[in-house]
């Protein structure tokens, strides 16, 4: 039996209405990301917010950026008691050094991923990962391959993250395009979902 054209149109409109309603429901009930910006010295309660997976279980963890500073290669090596010839000449770079404090209040099983602990420029057009060579110098007690923090309940831990601010296939230095004797804002990403926690750090160039 041939279905009248009018009924076919009504049927098609009904199907479209159901699809639109379904999409609206999914959008209304899906996980929405909130972005929160903090400053140096703020205690950022992660409270379950994560970077890679909710299985990180960041309940009870907090992170604070205690300081942010630009160091020349010589200043960095002197800070951590290394000879100036410790790295080869082509590896000697200035770094933005961040001092972070992690606190665990009662979490016995979880931790915090640092695999995407990126530092963004002010326009968010570039992001930078911390440098593993300089990380090992600043934190000799930590395996450079470790991509997370897990500390005993009711304890705290201070860790340094150095960023050489290199980008692109030629590994250009972002510092080269900044004006000397200015203060440049950057944003450290400490979690992504459901709350994207960013910590604004002002660095004197």
């Amino acid at each position: 039996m041939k279905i009248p054209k009018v009924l076919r149109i009504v049927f098609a409109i009904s199907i479209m209405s159901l699809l639109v309603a379904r999409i609206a429901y999914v959008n209304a009930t899906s996980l929405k990301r909130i972005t929160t910006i903090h400053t140096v010295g703020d205690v950022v309660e992660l409270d379950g917010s994560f970077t890679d997976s909710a299985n990180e279980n960041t309940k009870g963890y907090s992170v604070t950026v205690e300081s942010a500073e630009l160091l020349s290669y010589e200043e960095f090596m002197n800070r951590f008691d290394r000879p100036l010839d410790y790295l080869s000449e082509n590896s000697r770079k200035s770094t933005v050094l961040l001092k972070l404090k992690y606190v665990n209040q009662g979490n016995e099983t979880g931790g915090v991923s640092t695999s995407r602990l990126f530092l963004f420029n002010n326009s968010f057009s570039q992001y930078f990962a911390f440098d593993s060579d300089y990380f090992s110098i600043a934190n000799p007690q930590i395996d450079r391959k470790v991509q997370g923090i897990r500390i005993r309940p009711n304890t705290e831990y201070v860790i340094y993250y150095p960023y050489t601010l290199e980008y692109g296939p030629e590994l250009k230095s972002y510092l080269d395009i900044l004006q000397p004797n200015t203060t440049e804002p950057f944003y450290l990403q400490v979690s992504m979902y459901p709350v994207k926690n960013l910590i604004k750090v002002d660095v004197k160039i």
Side-chain angles (χ1 to χ4, degrees):
M1 181 178 67
K2 189 174 181 180
I3 301 175
K5 184 177 180 180
V6 173
L7 290 179
R8 293 202 304 270
I9 294 174
V10 171
F11 180 73
I13 293 174
S14 299
I15 293 296
M16 288 299 295
S17 298
L18 288 173
L19 288 174
V20 170
R22 175 60 180 169
I23 291 170
Y25 173 78
V26 170
N27 288 339
T29 57
S30 61
L31 183 65
K32 295 185 183 300
R33 184 164 70 175
I34 301 169
T35 298
T36 304
I37 297 178
H38 312 267
T39 58
V40 172
D42 287 352
V43 177
V44 181
E45 303 285 353
L46 296 179
D47 193 31
S49 291
F50 58 90
T51 298
D52 293 320
S53 168
N55 292 331
E56 291 171 31
N57 183 15
T58 64
K59 288 284 187 180
Y61 274 87
S62 66
V63 58
T64 301
V65 173
E66 294 195 326
S67 64
E69 57 185 325
L70 176 64
L71 298 177
S72 67
Y73 172 76
E74 292 79 8
E75 289 171 329
F76 186 93
M77 290 300 164
N78 288 333
R79 176 74 57 86
F80 297 103
D81 298 320
R82 294 291 188 277
L84 295 183
D85 60 355
Y86 189 82
L87 294 177
S88 61
E89 288 191 18
N90 61 354
S91 297
R92 299 174 187 177
K93 306 156 190 171
S94 296
T95 61
V96 171
L97 182 66
L98 303 183
K99 180 182 178 182
L100 274 62
K101 181 174 73 174
Y102 286 90
V103 176
N104 176 8
Q105 294 287 351
N107 188 327
E108 297 183 352
T109 60
V112 181
S113 171
T114 57
S115 65
R116 298 183 189 180
L117 193 68
F118 296 143
L119 190 65
F120 290 84
N121 66 351
N122 189 38
S123 65
F124 290 87
S125 60
Q126 297 284 350
Y127 68 89
F128 314 96
F130 62 86
D131 187 286
S132 59
D133 289 334
Y134 286 79
F135 178 86
S136 294
I137 295 170
N139 308 279
Q141 73 282 13
I142 302 176
D143 187 335
R144 61 189 294 171
K145 296 179 181 179
V146 171
Q147 293 189 329
I149 297 293
R150 177 177 290 175
I151 59 178
R152 293 190 304 274
N154 306 313
T155 63
E156 60 184 51
Y157 195 80
V158 171
I159 187 168
Y160 294 93
Y161 287 95
Y163 294 81
T164 54
L165 304 187
E166 293 179 319
Y167 68 99
E170 298 177 358
L171 295 180
K172 296 179 180 180
S173 174
Y174 187 74
L175 291 170
D176 292 341
I177 67 175
L178 300 178
Q179 292 293 328
N181 302 315
T182 60
T183 298
E184 185 71 16
F186 292 89
Y187 293 86
L188 181 69
Q189 174 180 271
V190 295
S191 71
M192 293 181 66
Y193 302 99
V195 179
K196 183 174 184 178
N197 281 297
L198 300 170
I199 302 176
K200 180 176 181 285
V201 296
D202 293 321
V203 179
K204 294 181 179 180
I205 306 303

